[in-house]
Amino acid sequence: MSRTDSLAAIEARIGHTFRDRSLLQLALTHPSWSQDHRGERENNQRLEFLGDAILHGFAAEAIYHRYPQGREGVLTRHRAALANGTFLAQLAREIGLDAALRLGGAEEASGGRTRDKALEDAFEALIGAVYLDAGHDTARRVVLGIYGDLAARLKDVDHIANPKGRLQEIIQPLHGTAAIRYEVKAETGKDHEREFEIAVYLHDRLLGSGRGHSKKSAEEAAAREALARIALR
């Protein structure tokens, strides 16, 4: 598929044709791209900053109206689920952003196209791009269209937003509060690019493992894998 075709496919999936397609191109430009293309210094970080704020606002508004009896704590948890990075990366894959990302050679070779953080940033940048291209109402329509049925989405992403809590909820009634433990298996990379590999155990039985650029994100990835394994049994 040509570059033009891949951009058109994204426009079709989100239901918006850009008047200024350079905004869409910029939303898909990872910072690593400029390392290999010195003439193109702009990347999607500024758009990601804008899109992040817009996305939180739309999610909060939608949840407020969808759950008129919901207390603040419940609404806050729902909003966090809909703005969770792993969930946004999932949405990015659903609309084909992974295939259309512009990455530098080293980032491509290291698996950047599948990395949740790169996809989360691209998704938020896309929302910022739509907002600049067509305004508030169109951006809101696009976001809510991608989300679809909020109740169904929230049910699906509950374990994504708080996988450690969800795993604890499943294990605790059967094995007690201290049955789960997380163990660092490996630490790699330079200080500013540190990556952790963490395994989660039920007593001495391995439930899952995961990687992340912080211990917290690696523990969440391990819990997510454990939940997936439990669901398959």
Side-chain angles (χ1 to χ4, degrees):
M1 183 182 292
S2 70
R3 184 69 186 170
T4 300
D5 289 343
S6 66
L7 296 183
I10 291 170
E11 290 175 328
R13 291 185 186 113
I14 68 173
H16 173 66
T17 300
F18 278 80
R19 290 176 293 184
D20 181 1
R21 191 174 268 184
S22 68
L23 286 168
L24 175 56
Q25 184 90 302
L26 185 59
L28 297 168
T29 302
H30 188 271
S32 65
W33 178 264
S34 61
Q35 297 174 8
D36 294 347
H37 303 81
R38 298 298 181 183
E40 298 184 41
R41 295 187 177 183
E42 287 192 274
N43 57 59
N44 63 10
Q45 289 182 313
R46 281 169 52 82
L47 280 176
E48 180 266 328
F49 166 80
L50 177 62
D52 174 64
I54 293 167
L55 191 65
H56 275 78
F58 289 155
E61 179 190 8
I63 290 165
Y64 179 86
H65 291 299
R66 178 64 178 78
Y67 299 97
Q69 305 304 317
R71 295 181 178 273
E72 182 183 2
V74 174
L75 300 181
T76 298
R77 189 169 70 249
H78 287 341
R79 181 186 62 188
L82 293 179
N84 175 268
T86 301
F87 175 58
L88 297 185
Q90 174 185 316
L91 296 183
R93 294 184 181 96
E94 288 179 9
I95 60 176
L97 298 191
D98 52 339
L101 278 178
R102 297 205 299 172
L103 302 168
E107 184 69 16
E108 181 80 72
S110 67
R113 194 170 298 280
T114 63
R115 194 165 289 133
D116 279 0
K117 185 63 171 70
L119 293 169
E120 172 195 352
D121 289 351
F123 185 84
E124 291 174 338
L126 172 68
I127 302 309
V130 173
Y131 180 86
L132 292 180
D133 189 66
H136 175 279
D137 290 347
T138 297
R140 181 178 181 275
R141 176 181 59 77
V142 167
V143 169
L144 298 184
I146 294 172
Y147 278 156
D149 186 323
L150 287 182
R153 281 292 193 189
L154 287 167
K155 183 178 179 180
D156 289 343
V157 305
D158 181 55
H159 71 283
I160 293 177
N162 185 17
K164 291 178 65 179
R166 179 61 182 146
L167 183 62
Q168 188 70 31
E169 287 176 5
I170 293 172
I171 298 299
Q172 183 174 323
L174 299 173
H175 301 280
T177 58
I180 292 177
R181 65 182 175 86
Y182 293 85
E183 181 179 317
V184 177
K185 306 302 289 185
E187 232 180 286
T188 57
K190 299 177 182 177
D191 288 344
H192 64 288
E193 296 177 340
R194 185 74 65 194
E195 185 174 63
F196 298 89
E197 180 182 354
I198 290 181
V200 58
Y201 294 88
L202 171 58
H203 300 302
D204 292 324
R205 179 161 64 89
L206 177 66
L207 295 180
S209 61
R211 291 177 175 272
H213 290 291
S214 69
K215 289 183 180 179
K216 179 177 183 291
S217 63
E219 287 178 354
E220 288 176 345
R224 213 170 280 120
E225 181 176 283
L227 287 168
R229 290 181 177 180
I230 290 171
L232 290 174
R233 290 178 180 175

